[in-house]
Amino acid sequence: MNSSRTSNGALERRVRRQEAAAEFGERALEADDRESLCCRAARTVVATVAEETDVATDGVDSGPGSQSRASSYGPAPERSETEPESPPIYTCTVLEALPDVDRFRLRERADRAAGGREVVGRSPPVDGSDDKTMFPVDRTSHAGRALRTGDPIVVDDLRADDRFRGPDPPLERAHSAVSVVIGRADDPWGVLSLHATARDRFDDADVTFLRSVASALASAVERLRADQRRSEEASLRRTILETSPVGITLIDADGQNVFSNDRAEEILGRSAEELRTYTHDDERWNLIDERGDPIESDDLPLSTVAETGEPVYDDIVGAERPDGTRVWVSMHCNPIFDADGEFDGAVYAFRDITERKHLESRLEEILGRVDDAICAFDTDLRYTHVNERAEELLGQSESELLSERLWDRFPEAEDDDAVRESFQKAMETQEPTSYEHYYEPIDAWFEVSVYPSETGLSVYFRDVTERKAYEQQLEASNERLEQFASAASHDLQEPLRMVTSYLQLVEDRYADELDADGREFIDYAVDGAERMREMIDGLLEFSRVETQGEPFEPVELDEVLEDVRQDLSVCIEESDADIAAESLPRVEGDGNQLRQVFQNLLSNAIEYSGDEPPQIEVSSERAPSGDWVISVSDDGVGIDPDDQERIFGVFERLHGTGERDGNGIGLALCRRIVERHRGDIWVDSEPGDGTTFSFTLRPASADE
């Protein structure tokens, strides 16, 4: 009979525990916060276990083992033989494992006396700032061992079991305990523990019950964590969408707008509510392409992605705002598919390029009016723009050339090394290049400048056929001039040498017979012949600037100036001249001819310095055109404005013969040399305020 009642009692207890675990599981699914969930779990455990305990037979065991050792749990309480036994107290704790700090946090604690007659107390939920609720994860504590091993830990007598000496939550009178892991053994969330103030209180049935509650608790915690992650991700997505500088809209499979962020409302000039009344091909958009032509529904990005299943990138569309203004957008359209792989709509991401379109239109208008022919190419060298002048020179219209590759349209240009290499160099180095090209089909010469950018190339070219013809004529004229000058020099030098020789012979042979006037007349004649020889040499040198100059190469002007100072060292020392010079640039030119320019300008500065020692400054600066401006300044007598252009003429002098040295060809030679270098030379001066001669030179190719 007793055996039957015991069996029935065990069955009833198992049924009650299953019902309690199931009820907790159902309520756990409804919990919306971790605190209330942990509270319900702890209360369910102590209420169920305590109500099953027979108060009459279960007292506090204070046998020999209860005071066997002092521990963190405290000594067993003493009582007299006449003191009535107190019912055991059950305590359930929910401990969250904090892996980052290797500690437990006490999430919940519930206490109940055996028989379920009273709730002794419950610690309130705490945050992580309270050190009293934080405990190390230690193998010498039964909760720590459960977490480390993943197995249930049952302790019959905490005070007598030497395995467990570590700290657990402050349960001063606990004798026995059982702990199970909350969650998977390989990824536990925490530990669910049950303590009793009596020994030998727990068995396998208690382990099974705690595991059932812990499993439901773990599922609910994971659900709450997943909900929190989803909520945080959704909040982050909303924040990104709403703060994005890009307009974003969501279109469903029927083409209806179902979402738009703040930037989309701003760009399109409509509120989110109004946008939800629009379809992607709504007539109110008045959509046009870049050419200004209306866009059919089948050609819109949504139609394309719905048909192909592939995204559309950088599609440029013009849409009309409610106020009648047009906004231009560059848009990406990405398809969305449902769980079955069926098309379910699309996401549009677009940015406002209205200002850029206006600038492009303005630029095209300006380019259409300039005299230079201009073509623009993308990175594949396909035509993207051709102005009217380019159409005239190329003999083809913009509509014929757009989207065509340069080499396909003009294969002969690719065969020209100068053309092909110039384009390649510009693309590779992202530096401008230039060249001259003879286009045989129309018998014309072009000067071409290539300017690279991230999106391709802009090519400017002009017809220089007339200039090339003039240069050829000039070259032929220079050759004839040199031939004439050479012949004239030879033909004139011989009579001059004869005149000079005979005058010197007369002076030597008849010196004693000549009076002072006669000797003076002979000196005048010899001096005149000598000046005539210098003028002929100067004229010959002037004529050879173009024909006998060296090929251009990088020239260090600092070295040129130093050579000139050495050549003029005697003159500089005699005049006590002070020449101050900045660091000068490297230029493209003929070093010998540039040396002549510096020597002539410095000689003039010393010669016309006035009564004081010459103070001369040589400087350089970069002009807006990119050329270098070289200046030689002095504090001498200055030049009258009326004479400032005349002094660059051949044989032009500011002073009479005999007043100053020189043959009147030095500045003319400087101008001719500078012009050969495709530069300009000029003078700034006022009488008595000094003079500055300036000239321009092109930078060395590697320094441009």
Side-chain angles (χ1 to χ4, degrees):
M1 177 69 73
N2 290 337
S3 173
S4 175
R5 283 201 301 270
T6 300
S7 176
N8 289 336
L11 179 60
E12 290 175 359
R13 185 175 69 162
R14 186 164 62 250
V15 170
R16 283 196 301 272
R17 291 187 173 193
Q18 289 175 349
E19 290 175 346
E23 181 182 0
F24 169 72
E26 291 178 0
R27 295 193 175 186
L29 294 176
E30 302 172 356
D32 56 5
D33 66 272
R34 199 175 303 178
E35 286 71 22
S36 63
L37 180 65
C38 293
C39 175
R40 186 175 295 279
R43 287 193 170 194
T44 296
V45 171
V46 295
T48 303
V49 174
E51 287 176 359
E52 297 171 348
T53 304
D54 186 349
V55 179
T57 60
D58 289 327
V60 176
D61 189 339
S62 55
S66 63
Q67 297 189 50
S68 61
R69 61 182 175 87
S71 72
S72 61
Y73 299 95
E78 297 182 1
R79 62 180 175 86
S80 65
E81 293 184 5
T82 60
E83 181 182 348
E85 293 184 348
S86 300
I89 298 173
Y90 292 93
T91 300
C92 181
T93 58
V94 180
L95 303 175
E96 179 186 4
L98 306 176
D100 292 341
V101 294
D102 204 29
R103 296 176 73 82
F104 282 125
R105 174 188 291 161
L106 177 60
R107 278 290 183 180
E108 191 64 45
R109 170 180 172 174
D111 305 86
R112 183 163 294 203
R117 293 194 299 268
E118 59 177 319
V119 175
V120 177
R122 179 177 68 84
S123 298
V126 293
D127 59 26
S129 62
D130 187 350
D131 290 339
K132 295 180 180 179
T133 65
M134 301 288 284
F135 309 94
V137 176
D138 193 328
R139 274 184 172 271
T140 60
S141 71
H142 71 281
R145 182 178 290 266
L147 185 73
R148 296 296 193 194
T149 64
D151 298 324
I153 302 297
V154 179
V155 184
D156 294 331
D157 190 343
L158 285 168
R159 305 184 185 196
D161 196 329
D162 291 336
R163 294 177 303 163
F164 304 107
R165 298 177 181 275
D168 273 318
L171 306 170
E172 296 178 354
R173 301 176 62 192
H175 271 265
S176 55
V178 58
S179 293
V180 298
V181 169
I182 302 171
R184 301 196 317 269
D186 60 343
D187 184 23
W189 179 82
V191 172
L192 181 64
S193 297
L194 181 62
H195 302 76
T197 55
R199 293 196 303 270
D200 302 320
R201 303 308 301 171
F202 306 115
D203 55 18
D204 290 343
D206 297 301
V207 171
T208 300
F209 176 53
L210 254 67
R211 274 184 159 177
S212 298
V213 174
S215 177
L217 176 59
S219 297
V221 167
E222 183 57 35
R223 176 181 60 79
L224 290 176
R225 292 165 71 180
D227 289 345
Q228 182 179 358
R229 286 195 298 270
R230 283 193 294 270
S231 176
E232 291 172 352
E233 290 171 0
S235 177
L236 178 61
R237 283 195 298 270
R238 283 194 301 271
T239 301
I240 293 173
L241 286 174
E242 294 302 336
T243 60
S244 171
V246 176
I248 299 173
T249 58
L250 178 62
I251 311 299
D252 65 18
D254 296 325
Q256 195 73 35
N257 189 308
V258 295
F259 169 81
S260 55
N261 71 347
D262 291 347
R263 181 59 177 150
E265 296 178 44
E266 181 182 345
I267 292 175
L268 300 175
R270 296 167 173 86
S271 66
E273 292 74 14
E274 188 177 0
L275 286 172
R276 280 193 288 271
T277 69
Y278 277 70
T279 58
H280 78 112
D281 57 355
D282 200 298
E283 291 183 356
R284 289 173 291 178
W285 292 122
N286 192 16
L287 300 173
I288 60 174
D289 60 21
E290 288 190 271
R291 294 178 178 273
D293 298 328
I295 304 177
E296 299 296 330
S297 177
D298 291 342
D299 296 326
L300 289 173
L302 182 71
S303 302
T304 302
V305 300
E307 180 179 352
T308 65
E310 298 293 332
V312 171
Y313 298 107
D314 293 320
D315 199 41
I316 296 178
V317 174
E320 193 172 281
R321 289 190 173 116
D323 61 4
T325 61
R326 185 167 298 283
V327 59
W328 288 93
V329 295
S330 174
M331 60 175 59
H332 300 342
C333 183
N334 203 72
I336 300 173
F337 301 98
D338 61 18
D340 298 325
E342 297 296 324
F343 179 72
D344 198 31
V347 174
Y348 276 97
F350 50 91
R351 54 192 177 90
D352 186 348
I353 60 169
T354 306
E355 183 177 357
R356 191 190 84 186
K357 290 295 293 181
H358 289 165
L359 291 174
E360 288 177 353
S361 298
R362 177 62 177 157
L363 179 60
E364 288 185 7
E365 180 183 345
I366 293 172
L367 295 181
R369 295 200 303 263
V370 299
D371 293 333
D372 283 358
I374 301 175
C375 294
F377 299 88
D378 62 17
T379 54
D380 295 324
L381 293 185
R382 297 183 185 277
Y383 283 93
T384 59
H385 173 74
V386 181
N387 75 345
E388 293 181 5
R389 181 58 175 155
E391 290 179 317
E392 294 175 12
L393 293 179
L394 298 177
Q396 299 186 48
S397 67
E398 182 180 39
S399 60
E400 293 176 295
L401 294 174
L402 287 182
S403 299
E404 293 287 328
R405 291 187 73 250
L406 170 64
W407 307 135
D408 294 339
R409 208 69 185 183
F410 299 100
E412 65 278 2
E414 187 176 16
D415 297 333
D416 189 300
D417 292 342
V419 178
R420 186 181 64 258
E421 291 173 3
S422 183
F423 274 69
Q424 289 176 348
K425 182 179 179 181
M427 292 290 286
E428 291 171 1
T429 66
Q430 287 295 294
E431 295 291 337
T433 60
S434 61
Y435 62 92
E436 289 186 348
H437 175 62
Y438 175 68
Y439 188 44
E440 188 174 0
I442 60 175
D443 188 27
W445 278 93
F446 293 105
E447 182 182 70
V448 185
S449 298
V450 183
Y451 297 93
S453 69
E454 294 181 358
T455 58
L457 297 173
S458 295
V459 180
Y460 294 67
F461 56 101
R462 64 178 64 185
D463 187 344
V464 294
T465 305
E466 291 185 4
R467 193 200 75 194
K468 293 292 287 186
Y470 173 75
E471 288 176 352
Q472 292 171 354
Q473 294 173 2
L474 183 61
E475 184 177 350
S477 174
N478 286 334
E479 290 179 357
R480 291 193 296 271
L481 175 61
E482 183 185 355
Q483 292 171 359
F484 166 76
S486 179
S489 173
H490 179 272
D491 293 342
L492 291 174
Q493 292 280 13
E494 186 60 31
L496 283 175
R497 278 194 296 270
M498 182 179 296
V499 170
T500 303
S501 297
Y502 275 104
L503 286 171
Q504 290 175 344
L505 183 61
V506 168
E507 184 179 17
D508 292 341
R509 182 172 297 183
Y510 301 105
D512 295 338
E513 300 178 18
L514 294 174
D515 58 11
D517 288 341
R519 285 192 294 271
E520 184 178 4
F521 294 156
I522 289 177
D523 288 342
Y524 283 149
V526 171
D527 184 62
E530 182 63 23
R531 284 188 287 104
M532 177 64 75
R533 185 187 62 78
E534 291 176 356
M535 292 174 66
I536 292 172
D537 289 342
L539 181 61
L540 184 60
E541 185 178 14
F542 181 83
S543 69
R544 290 175 174 172
V545 168
E546 293 285 348
T547 58
Q548 294 193 7
E550 296 294 330
F552 287 177
E553 62 182 3
V555 176
E556 295 287 352
L557 291 185
D558 282 328
E559 297 177 4
V560 171
L561 179 60
E562 184 59 31
D563 290 343
V564 171
R565 294 173 76 157
Q566 289 293 329
D567 293 342
L568 298 177
S569 59
V570 174
C571 179
I572 293 172
E573 185 176 351
E574 290 178 350
S575 63
D576 196 22
D578 179 25
I579 301 177
E582 299 177 355
S583 177
L584 300 178
R586 186 169 67 158
V587 299
E588 198 78 11
D590 180 337
N592 289 331
Q593 290 187 347
L594 293 177
R595 182 173 175 173
Q596 288 179 288
V597 173
F598 275 100
Q599 185 159 333
N600 281 327
L601 295 179
L602 288 176
S603 297
N604 283 350
I606 295 173
E607 180 70 23
Y608 296 96
S609 61
D611 297 331
E612 298 296 326
Q615 299 293 319
I616 303 169
E617 181 180 355
V618 182
S619 61
S620 64
E621 64 176 347
R622 202 73 180 258
S625 64
D627 291 345
W628 285 104
V629 179
I630 313 299
S631 298
V632 178
S633 303
D634 63 57
D635 60 350
V637 298
I639 302 172
D640 191 283
D642 293 338
D643 296 327
Q644 290 178 9
E645 182 61 29
R646 181 174 64 84
I647 59 175
F648 290 105
V650 179
F651 304 134
E652 292 290 348
R653 301 170 59 91
L654 291 179
H655 303 278
T657 302
E659 295 182 33
R660 300 282 184 178
D661 292 338
N663 55 20
I665 205 170
L667 290 178
L669 184 63
C670 288
R671 169 173 277 184
R672 189 163 175 82
I673 290 173
V674 170
E675 287 178 346
R676 184 198 172 211
H677 286 71
R678 296 189 178 181
D680 295 312
I681 186 169
W682 65 94
V683 62
D684 294 305
S685 180
E686 289 291 338
D689 288 337
T691 301
T692 298
F693 282 93
S694 301
F695 57 96
T696 59
L697 296 173
R698 293 190 175 184
S701 299
D703 301 332
E704 288 184 354

